[in-house]
Amino acid sequence: MVKLTIDGVPITAPKGTLVIEAARQAGIMIPHFCYHPKLKWDANCRMCLVEIERVPKLQTSCSTPVAEGMVVRTATTAVTQAHKSVLEFILANHPLDCPVCDQGGRCDLQDFSHEYTPTTSRFIEVKRIFPKEYFSALIETQMNRCVQCLRCVRYCDEVMDVKALAPAGRGTMTEIKHFTHHELDCEFCGGCVQICPVGAITSRLSMYEYRPWMLKRADTICTYCGDGCQITIQTKENKLIEVNTAHGAGRNNGDLCARGFFGYHASTHPDRLQHPLVRRNGELVQATWEEALGFVAETCIRLKMEHGAEAFAGLIASRCTNEDLYVFQKFMRLAIGTNRIDSSARYGQINGVRALRRVQGTHRWAVTFEDIVAADALLLVGTNITETNPITGLKVKEAVKKRTATLLTVDALVPAVGTISNIANLAAHHFPVHPDRFGHVVLGLIKAVVEDGLVDQALAHRAPAYVQAIGDAVQALSWPALESATGTTSGALREAARIFARAARGVVLVGQGVLRSPGGYGLTTNLLDLLLLTGQHGRPGCGLAPLAEENNDQGAVEMGTVAEYLPGPCDLNDPTARERIAGLWKEELPKGPGRTLTETLEEARTGKVKAMFVVGENPVGSLPHAARAKDALAQLELLVCQELFLTETAALAHVVLPACSYAEKDGSFTNTEGLVQPVRRAIEPIGESRPDWEILSALSVLMGYPIEYGDAKEILKEIRSLIPGYGLLGAGPNPPRPDEAVVSRYLREGYAEDLANRYAATQPTEKRTGHFTLLVTQSLFHSGKFSTRSTGLLEIQNTGVLGLNPADAARLGVTDGDRVRVSNTLGELTAPIKLLERIPEGLAVFPEHFDEEARRLLGVSTDPQTRVPYCKSAQVVIEKL
Amino acid sequence: MLQEKYKTEIDEILSRYPVRRSAMLPLLTMAQREEGYVSEAAMKEIASILRVTPPQVYETVTFYTMLNLKPIGTFHIQVCKSLMCALVGSDSLLVWLQARLGIKPGETTPDRLFTLSTVECLASCGTGPMMQVNDDYYERLTEEKVDRILADLKRDGTSPLKSGPFILPEPEGAHG
């Protein structure tokens, strides 16, 4: 620690702290433009000059580290004079257009001008004027206002690793541009808008609509992915004006992605359902809440009398709050009396949770975002992380760029620099393999660990039989076979295994490419084996992190809205848990079986299930045509949907009940790292919509099994008494430690049951020449079920464009924008193409949010253990149109 | 494409630097030598060679006045506008040139023969006013000399009036 004095205040700060930061911590604000705690200092704006005793000239406090005995003065005549001069130079060019500037009222330049400058200027020269250029549909630039602090450029490079902004020209004529006169093409994270100290870069979505002091703020959690970023929704007269986030706030620490920053208009889309709809003579017509709920309750009672409670099933989306999810399962279990409940966590999240529970007895990560940043070696499998979990991606980038962690990646995409992140670019070792061969790389890594003596000595001692069994299993695999399957050398695999095993702290992140692909559960378990074998398991800061795709996937599992779990999550058939829950609910739990998504659809098809409650889930729109979800749901005698929009599934319903979006309700979400964070209402409910839990609660009353709560807080109170980890909302994550008893059981016998399957290097089906693997994946600009209703995100991406490797395209004789026909035995689609160097030859990538046509081509297979439906890839033929 | 035409030269340039993107200026010079200016296609290609993004190449190009972003004429006239030349009349020389060529700085004549630019100090302060045409210096300029140079360039593609740059002390008989 270093002792110094700033303005007479004695201060102690860690060595290396910059004077400006030390002052801030002591409550002394030094004016600045170019400095930002997130960025490396640049000292270009000269605004933060201070006087330091025994230093002849004024020093920039943003670039001067504290020193023992330093005496700093920030408010002397010389300093104030320097501030005035800097401002006079900036104002020589800055236009006086505050009345039409969106930054007015929260502008650093405005504030400092009020503080320091006289109202007149000595400059009589004509101000610098840049010709106005169109920048992009979402981001507006007004270069005349720019103070050239380059925070935007540095943020885009240092934090986002996107490098899409260029300071073109030099001196006072420097302006922020993209590439020559081209429209901005980047990740649209909105970081430049947020970090600009003046009004040079602003959002076009809210242009001219507000003054900062008119806005009402609500701190809540974004719903576009599992990262759980804290956002501040700003509203004016119940209208969503803008979303931003403060530096230091939330798990995102002030960073956002395009979805979080520009995707907020979905909640107030004109197509929002405003009234309950009831099917009369085959048509959905508007009804009152009393009519709709009365009809549902009546029909439920009748069907329950006729067919019993097991003729009912429920499906809920992970976008709902924990409170909604909790009340939903309680409603299904008590008011209806069935365990036939499932949620969208079934699409992949459950693979990660099941593997974690099996091996280490936790249902959450044993690591946090901080551990990712602090890791020495990171292994990413099956994820171009930015596309699904952009903010977790930033943690990886920070680890690699600022903390020099070694990154190992296993993914289908190949490194190619562009103005959209491609995490493989940062990898020390990247294994570009076909999506069905990620498992082969992991087997190769485990084989290398075993053969090269990298097995943790403590583990070898603790579980010799386990190490022996795995050793035997990988010895049975031959290097030539693995090399030919992965297209890499055993040397590269050995090197990567050595880096990971030797790292002081190793973290494995596993993404949708594994969790949502055949063999996902087995491969996730193998990754835990890799962690165990290398000794990167059980120690603080090490472990496996399966990435959640939807905002509350984790909550859906913990609230017990999946087929195999009660709230907790506890196993459905765990007698102690059943007793405890029954005691709290003062009601017996139903004894029937749980049923997963695909099983429920099958039972609906065969007529076993007669009635379904679907909350926010849209199987007809999410599953491929081959799953025949539409046929199944059409068989039902009662289909009740709680929805925001009339989705493909809701269109089949007998009753559609309008539900509130996250912006209109209170509650909590549990993010991918298992942190429970508060969701707060920003606007009044649209139309007659109500929170999902309230609708279920009202129904329960009408059905004679009242499950009543005063508000969301009361539900949370009940959740707290039942589920650990729901105490303090938003507090720093406190990851669970692996349960040693469970780990021991796994090492003793648990591993053996499917070992042969998991360690079999199945010969991948050789691709027939001329055939492509079509991958339907999430894009950076769309996720969840609402992003395609967001005007902002549609400005960036509004059609399905098929991504192809340039060499493949050349062979097909097509180029950017040409249309192709993609077909297989199941169906066909036509789409324009885009050439992308990051896509390897033989692969074609299509965005899942525009996959209405593409879903015809996909088949479905289910995981034998976790019943996860895998439906994201297909073999296709592509022809020029 | 540069890579097809100059593969060995590019490899040699890259081999000089421990950090790949340090090779940016030599590659940009190569691109300009090839087309007379740095085209968008060239910037994209250089970006991909150096594994940086096109905006990063673009910002570098805009920083250096010696790199042209637009196609230029056969003869690129770069008039020094720094203090020393200004003291001995570079501004009137520029007016003269503008009148003779019918273009303003930054423009190219319709016959694509001449491009006029103003640049910062070319390190010939003792012999101003001066200008550089392509790679050659023309010093101690007068209106009459400029007219002769323009006529020579048009006719022969070069002019005997070109000189230096000098290494001090100036060679005998350099004053003329």
Side-chain angles (χ1 to χ4, degrees), chain A residues 153 157 161-171 175 177-182 417-420 837, chain B residues 21 39-41 43-44 47-48 51-60 62-66 69 120:
Chain A
V153 176
D157 174 4
D161 196 40
V162 166
K163 307 176 190 98
L165 296 179
R170 46 153 93 167
E175 58 181 322
K177 296 178 91 172
H178 175 52
F179 179 54
T180 68
H181 302 289
H182 291 281
V417 177
T419 47
I420 285 193
E837 301 211 339
Chain B
R21 68 180 287 187
S39 63
E40 278 192 19
M43 286 191 273
K44 283 185 183 164
S48 109
R51 299 186 198 130
V52 298
T53 63
Q56 288 179 298
V57 179
Y58 172 61
E59 68 177 51
T60 311
T62 63
F63 185 83
Y64 293 99
T65 49
M66 301 81 124
L69 272 166
E120 296 301 338

Side-chain angles (χ1 to χ4, degrees), chain A residues 262-291:
Chain A
F262 289 114
Y264 55 93
H265 277 316
S267 289
T268 49
H269 192 277
D271 288 352
R272 269 289 294 273
L273 294 170
Q274 311 240 359
H275 310 281
L277 303 173
V278 174
R279 191 168 296 277
R280 292 203 177 106
N281 304 324
E283 293 282 316
L284 281 172
V285 292
Q286 185 178 330
T288 64
W289 273 107
E290 288 71 20
E291 289 168 337

Side-chain angles (χ1 to χ4, degrees), chain B residues 18-91:
Chain B
V19 176
R20 209 173 166 87
R21 68 180 287 187
S22 307
M24 193 172 301
L25 286 179
L27 291 185
L28 286 170
T29 315
M30 172 189 277
Q32 174 146 307
R33 197 180 62 205
E34 185 67 15
E35 295 181 87
Y37 75 110
V38 184
S39 63
E40 278 192 19
M43 286 191 273
K44 283 185 183 164
E45 193 188 352
I46 291 171
S48 109
I49 295 171
L50 299 178
R51 299 186 198 130
V52 298
T53 63
Q56 288 179 298
V57 179
Y58 172 61
E59 68 177 51
T60 311
V61 176
T62 63
F63 185 83
Y64 293 99
T65 49
M66 301 81 124
L67 295 170
N68 308 310
L69 272 166
K70 281 190 295 190
I72 51 160
T74 315
F75 303 105
H76 188 193
I77 302 176
Q78 301 155 70
V79 181
C80 171
K81 60 160 190 187
S82 284
L83 179 67
M84 296 308 162
C85 287
L87 289 175
V88 288
S90 65
D91 49 350

Side-chain angles (χ1 to χ4, degrees), chain A residues 434 436-437 440 485 761-768 773 875:
Chain A
H434 190 270
D436 62 6
R437 301 176 197 183
H440 292 77
T762 43
Q763 195 52 42
T765 41
E766 273 314 310
K767 229 161 43 73
R768 295 214 307 260
T773 301
Q875 294 300 310

Side-chain angles (χ1 to χ4, degrees), chain A residues 102 106 134 136-141 188-190 193 201-210 215 224 234 236 239-244 257-266 268 787 789-796:
Chain A
D102 277 348
R106 56 174 174 197
Y134 176 73
S136 91
L138 294 177
I139 300 177
E140 167 85 351
T141 52
F188 290 97
C189 68
V193 177
I201 306 184
T202 51
S203 162
R204 284 174 71 106
L205 281 191
S206 53
M207 204 155 58
Y208 306 140
E209 281 197 28
Y210 66 95
L215 300 178
Y224 279 117
Q234 318 229 30
K236 195 178 94 185
K239 262 171 57 190
L240 297 171
I241 301 295
E242 63 161 22
V243 159
N244 54 25
C257 69
R259 304 188 299 242
F261 194 78
F262 289 114
Y264 55 93
H265 277 316
T268 49
S787 66
R789 315 264 182 182
S790 147
T791 41
L793 297 175
L794 288 174
E795 288 281 359
I796 312 175

Side-chain angles (χ1 to χ4, degrees), chain A residues 1-76:
Chain A
M1 295 300 264
V2 177
K3 288 198 187 69
L4 71 158
T5 317
I6 303 181
D7 288 348
V9 183
I11 290 170
T12 323
K15 194 165 180 274
T17 310
L18 299 166
V19 170
I20 197 169
E21 272 303 308
R24 189 209 297 269
Q25 279 151 28
I28 299 161
M29 158 72 180
I30 299 175
H32 59 269
F33 293 106
C34 75
Y35 173 75
H36 193 281
K38 249 182 215 308
L39 308 174
K40 279 192 234 119
W41 56 264
D42 209 34
N44 68 43
C45 76
R46 318 308 291 176
M47 190 64 198
C48 69
L49 291 169
V50 292
E51 206 172 281
I52 298 176
E53 227 169 60
R54 294 205 299 278
V55 179
K57 289 169 88 178
L58 298 181
Q59 298 294 307
T60 46
S61 59
C62 73
S63 63
T64 312
V66 294
E68 190 62 40
M70 194 181 244
V71 177
V72 181
R73 293 197 188 86
T74 72
T76 63

Side-chain angles (χ1 to χ4, degrees), chain A residues 506-526:
Chain A
V507 175
V508 176
L509 287 109
V510 53
Q512 306 309 319
V514 171
L515 299 173
R516 297 194 169 206
S517 304
Y521 173 66
L523 178 49
T524 312
T525 315
N526 286 3

